[in-house]
């Protein structure tokens, strides 16, 4: 397999990674996936993966081995990881040694919201990448429409759309499939080096707005509910989340509750060559999937 075409994708077995892998494959990229367990490869090969690298993002040796002979790198870090900066620094070092032609970093919209730790750590990682001298592309995604999916059953069966922030605060939610297509576009096509792209959806929606759309499309009443933070914390503990993860989720949701999370969909539309997916169309897709 030629070095010129090979793309290393980290975080490949996560929800975001799997969507990006499928989009890269559709764009004609040859993709080596970096995962923790070899048995994850079969399902990833079905999505278009060509090669496998097994390792730990915190282990510099496995990072260097994964990057070897790759021309481009798409780095998706572990969600809300306390060592985001160190992990990204390790990939940057390996990419410099390899002479990577493009380092695509999957960041977050508004990393300057530094009171939220994972935003601050993404900002620090972005700073390292820009200063590294590597040809880079930074994508900054908004909150996903797909956050509906973990509560989809509750929405359908109980008529409740519940999230741990006010029902009135607004988000420019974005379809993960649009984000994946945009990442594939900036990786597989020329012209996107030394760019930072904010990727938001086309509408500013509150929980109340989403509940109204769900009511219309499901043909039954759906109401919005703000989950108290102590209830969110108890649920997370029951699900096995670490105390660090719970602390960061609490800080994040408290911040979003106070400030909202708004962006502009123009850049995403330009990259896609079409209008970004609207929330109602995403819900119709979810309904059709059962």
């Amino acid at each position: 397999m030629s070095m010129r075409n090979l793309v290393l994708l980290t975080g490949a077995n996560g929800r975001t990674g799997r969507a990006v892998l499928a989009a890269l494959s559709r764009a004609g990229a040859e993709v080596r996936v970096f995962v923790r367990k070899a048995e994850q490869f079969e399902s990833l090969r079905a999505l278009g993966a060509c090669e496998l690298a097994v390792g730990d993002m915190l282990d510099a040796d496995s990072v260097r081995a994964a990057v070897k002979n790759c021309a481009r790198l798409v780095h998706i870090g572990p969600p809300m990881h306390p060592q985001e900066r160190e992990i990204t620094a390790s990939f940057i070092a390996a990419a410099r040694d390899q002479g990577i032609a493009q380092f695509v970093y999957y960041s977050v919209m508004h990393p300057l919201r530094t009171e939220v730790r994972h935003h601050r750590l993404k900002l620090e990682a972005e700073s390292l990448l820009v200063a590294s001298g590597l040809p880079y592309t930074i994508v900054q995604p908004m909150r996903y429409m797909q956050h509906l999916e973990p509560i989809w059953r509750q929405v359908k069966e109980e008529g409740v759309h519940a999230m741990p922030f006010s029902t009135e605060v607004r988000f420019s939610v974005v379809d993960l499939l649009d984000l994946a297509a945009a990442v594939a576009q900036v990786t597989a096509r020329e012209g996107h080096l030394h760019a930072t792209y904010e990727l938001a959806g086309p509408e500013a929606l509150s929980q109340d707005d989403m509940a109204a759309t769900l009511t219309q499309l499901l043909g039954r009443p759906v109401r919005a509910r703000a989950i108290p933070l102590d209830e969110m914390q108890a649920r997370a503990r029951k699900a096995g989340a670490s105390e660090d993860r719970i602390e960061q989720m609490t800080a994040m949701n408290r911040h979003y509750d106070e400030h909202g999370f708004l962006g502009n969909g123009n850049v995403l539309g330009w990259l896609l060559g079409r209008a970004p997916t609207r929330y109602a169309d995403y819900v119709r897709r979810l309904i059709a999937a059962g």
Side-chain angles (χ1 to χ4, degrees), residues 85 88-89 91-93 95-96 103 105 122-138 194-196:
R85 186 182 189 278
T88 308
F91 278 102
I92 288 171
R96 290 182 67 180
F103 191 122
Y105 179 55
K122 294 285 191 185
L123 180 62
E124 293 177 4
E126 286 188 17
S127 298
L128 288 176
L129 180 56
V130 171
S132 71
L134 285 166
Y136 70 86
T137 309
I138 296 168
H194 309 293
T196 300

Side-chain angles (χ1 to χ4, degrees), residues 53-228:
V54 178
D56 187 328
M57 291 190 193
L58 290 168
D59 176 56
D61 289 339
S62 59
V63 168
R64 283 192 294 269
V67 174
K68 187 176 181 180
N69 294 329
C70 290
R72 299 177 190 271
L73 166 60
V74 178
H75 177 47
I76 303 170
M80 301 179 75
H81 198 285
Q83 292 175 275
E84 173 83 29
R85 186 182 189 278
E86 291 80 2
I87 288 170
T88 308
S90 181
F91 278 102
I92 288 171
R96 290 182 67 180
D97 290 345
Q98 176 64 32
I100 286 285
Q102 183 188 27
F103 191 122
V104 180
Y105 179 55
Y106 198 87
S107 184
V108 67
M109 177 80 74
H110 300 163
L112 49 77
R113 294 174 181 245
T114 53
E115 67 183 69
V116 181
R117 189 185 72 184
H118 75 274
H119 284 250
R120 173 175 56 81
L121 294 180
K122 294 285 191 185
L123 180 62
E124 293 177 4
E126 286 188 17
S127 298
L128 288 176
L129 180 56
V130 171
S132 71
L134 285 166
Y136 70 86
T137 309
I138 296 168
V139 293
Q140 298 178 330
M142 173 54 69
R143 185 169 178 268
Y144 298 173
M145 292 179 184
Q146 276 73 6
H147 284 120
L148 172 60
E149 293 176 21
I151 63 169
W152 183 231
R153 182 174 177 179
Q154 180 186 34
V155 167
K156 291 192 295 181
E157 294 181 0
E158 301 176 23
V160 178
H161 183 285
M163 294 284 179
F165 35 76
S166 164
T167 66
E168 298 177 356
V169 69
R170 296 185 302 155
F171 298 81
S172 301
V173 289
V174 65
D175 183 4
L176 174 57
L177 298 190
D178 283 357
L179 293 174
V183 172
Q185 174 73 16
V186 304
T187 306
R189 304 287 180 263
E190 298 297 325
H192 298 289
L193 297 184
H194 309 293
T196 300
Y197 294 135
E198 291 189 345
L199 304 180
E203 305 162 283
L205 301 175
S206 67
Q207 277 208 80
D208 289 329
D209 296 327
M210 295 175 189
T213 297
L214 290 161
T215 295
Q216 178 183 7
L217 295 179
L218 289 171
R220 58 164 295 175
V222 176
R223 65 179 178 86
R225 174 179 177 253
I227 301 173

Side-chain angles (χ1 to χ4, degrees), residues 276-289:
T277 302
R278 298 178 71 85
Y279 185 73
D281 292 326
Y282 162 71
V283 173
R284 289 187 184 98
R285 197 172 76 216
L286 203 56
I287 291 170

